[in-house]
Amino acid sequence: MSSRATSLMHAERCPDAMINSDDVRLAVYHEGNRHGPTLVFVHGYPDTAQVWDRLVAELGVDYHCVRYDVRGAGRSDTPTRTSAYRLSCLEGDLAAVIGWACPNGERVHLIGHDWGSIQSWEAATDPAMRDRLASYTSISGPCLDHIGQNLRAQWRDNRRALARQARRSWYIAFFQIPGLAEFGWSRLMAPRWPATLARLEGQALPVAATWAEDGRAGIRLYRANMWPRLAHPRERFAVVPVHLIVARRDPFVGQGLARRALDWADSITVTELDARHWVIETHAPAVAERIRQHITALEAPDTQRRRTPHETAS
């Protein structure tokens, strides 16, 4: 398993553009139908924009697909200050990418996975972004403020559920320890990451050539945002229609935690898939079909959107 997993690498690709966001250069890629609606994809940790390869291959026939390496990953710049990874900075990066992709002010459909989903909630709940976003699809990455609100409720009403989620998220506390976290990732976790990913998903998946460096730099995402948002959660309501894709067997994000978004969005659709965390790769056709259905429903004339508790799919 280990040798096979290590041999699976994403194909190298040069960025289509390098754009600036607050003195940070971001590597941006785009393909697909330039005449269709624009989709912007934001990847998670410790991935790069290449993690979207399979999903973009499915959606590119109908949509203009734009993705980028987030700061600290792939071919984008890697700031050294932890404060440069705050959610506000990450939202600024997304705004810069949207501005580049749609300079005439068209709205985009935003899609995030893992940390890409976590950081995209900042934009999806920001009234200033209402005119740039047509919808938001969140996959395996809840809003940190929603988690903070939920933790308070669980501490009061359901500490057993709180303990279960803490066991899933042990690595978050580990990543807060300066020096030890970087050493642990570089010496223990990074060499085993392709095999660990294969074991988590039940199949070998490709990784980016920069996974070791990206994983080390991305620790700053956790340090810059976790404790401030969990300790002092804000009330963040979605300003655009939300599509929540829940992987039933996700080892990191429990279904109950993922569905906290139901309390913070007036227009929301929930899709369940029998999958694990990297559902965007293992179940790309199914994810693409649900995204296509959601966008088609939103853009259909005279269609009244309503709150949908859940839609299940295998």
Side-chain angles (χ1 to χ4, degrees):
M1 176 75 78
S2 177
S3 61
R4 181 187 172 203
T6 304
S7 67
L8 290 177
M9 304 290 289
H10 286 295
E12 288 289 329
R13 176 181 170 184
C14 293
D16 294 308
M18 296 294 296
I19 67 173
N20 290 319
S21 173
D22 192 25
D23 297 326
V24 173
R25 295 188 312 151
L26 302 173
V28 184
Y29 313 82
H30 70 132
E31 57 248 275
N33 183 353
R34 306 295 172 85
H35 302 290
T38 297
L39 314 183
V40 174
F41 301 83
V42 190
H43 70 81
Y45 173 92
D47 298 317
T48 68
Q50 293 170 307
V51 78
W52 297 107
D53 282 351
R54 296 179 182 181
L55 195 56
V56 166
E58 297 285 339
L59 292 168
V61 174
D62 301 312
Y63 302 102
H64 177 211
C65 297
V66 178
R67 43 186 166 151
Y68 63 104
D69 294 329
V70 304
R71 57 174 63 198
R75 299 203 177 192
S76 291
D77 287 347
T78 302
T80 57
R81 293 178 295 105
T82 297
S83 60
Y85 292 81
R86 290 173 180 162
L87 292 175
S88 57
C89 299
L90 303 176
E91 183 183 5
D93 293 347
L94 173 62
V97 171
I98 294 175
W100 175 85
C102 298
N104 296 323
E106 305 94 329
R107 296 192 301 168
V108 307
H109 295 278
L110 177 62
I111 303 167
H113 173 255
D114 186 79
W115 255 100
S117 178
I118 292 173
Q119 72 178 71
S120 293
W121 273 107
E122 191 74 2
T125 57
D126 184 354
M129 294 293 288
R130 192 193 307 269
D131 293 337
R132 298 314 317 263
L133 301 179
S135 73
Y136 173 44
T137 296
S138 171
I139 309 169
S140 297
C143 174
L144 293 185
D145 292 288
H146 299 170
I147 296 176
Q149 298 283 356
N150 185 55
L151 290 177
R152 290 184 173 186
Q154 286 186 330
W155 179 259
R156 183 181 63 248
D157 304 324
N158 191 350
R159 295 187 185 181
R160 183 174 297 179
L162 180 61
R164 286 197 299 268
Q165 184 58 49
R167 286 195 295 271
R168 291 174 181 265
S169 306
W170 62 269
Y171 58 93
I172 294 175
F174 175 71
F175 280 172
Q176 305 302 313
I177 307 173
L180 183 59
E182 287 81 359
F183 177 85
W185 169 262
S186 298
R187 296 299 182 90
L188 300 177
M189 300 170 71
R192 297 170 174 81
W193 178 244
T196 299
L197 179 61
R199 185 172 64 254
L200 288 169
E201 295 300 310
Q203 60 181 277
L205 293 177
V207 296
T210 55
W211 91 77
E213 298 88 349
D214 297 343
R216 182 183 177 92
I219 290 172
R220 299 185 182 98
L221 290 168
Y222 292 86
R223 290 189 184 151
N225 299 295
M226 280 296 180
W227 293 151
R229 295 279 57 84
L230 298 184
H232 305 286
R234 304 161 296 176
E235 291 191 348
R236 303 286 290 192
F237 290 90
V239 297
V240 294
V242 174
H243 180 201
L244 190 68
I245 295 182
V246 178
R248 296 195 194 107
R249 294 182 288 129
D250 193 321
F252 304 113
V253 183
Q255 292 187 49
L257 189 64
R259 288 197 184 88
R260 298 311 305 174
L262 288 166
D263 297 331
W264 301 94
D266 289 330
S267 178
I268 188 166
T269 298
V270 182
T271 295
E272 292 183 5
L273 292 174
D274 186 24
R276 303 178 187 181
H277 189 71
W278 273 269
V279 60
I280 60 173
E281 294 192 273
T282 61
H283 293 66
V287 173
E289 180 58 25
R290 301 319 183 276
I291 290 174
R292 186 178 290 108
Q293 290 173 357
H294 184 248
I295 293 175
T296 299
L298 285 176
E299 298 192 341
D302 302 324
T303 297
Q304 194 77 5
R305 285 293 297 167
R306 65 178 185 272
R307 187 181 180 89
T308 306
H310 63 272
E311 301 169 356
T312 59
S314 59

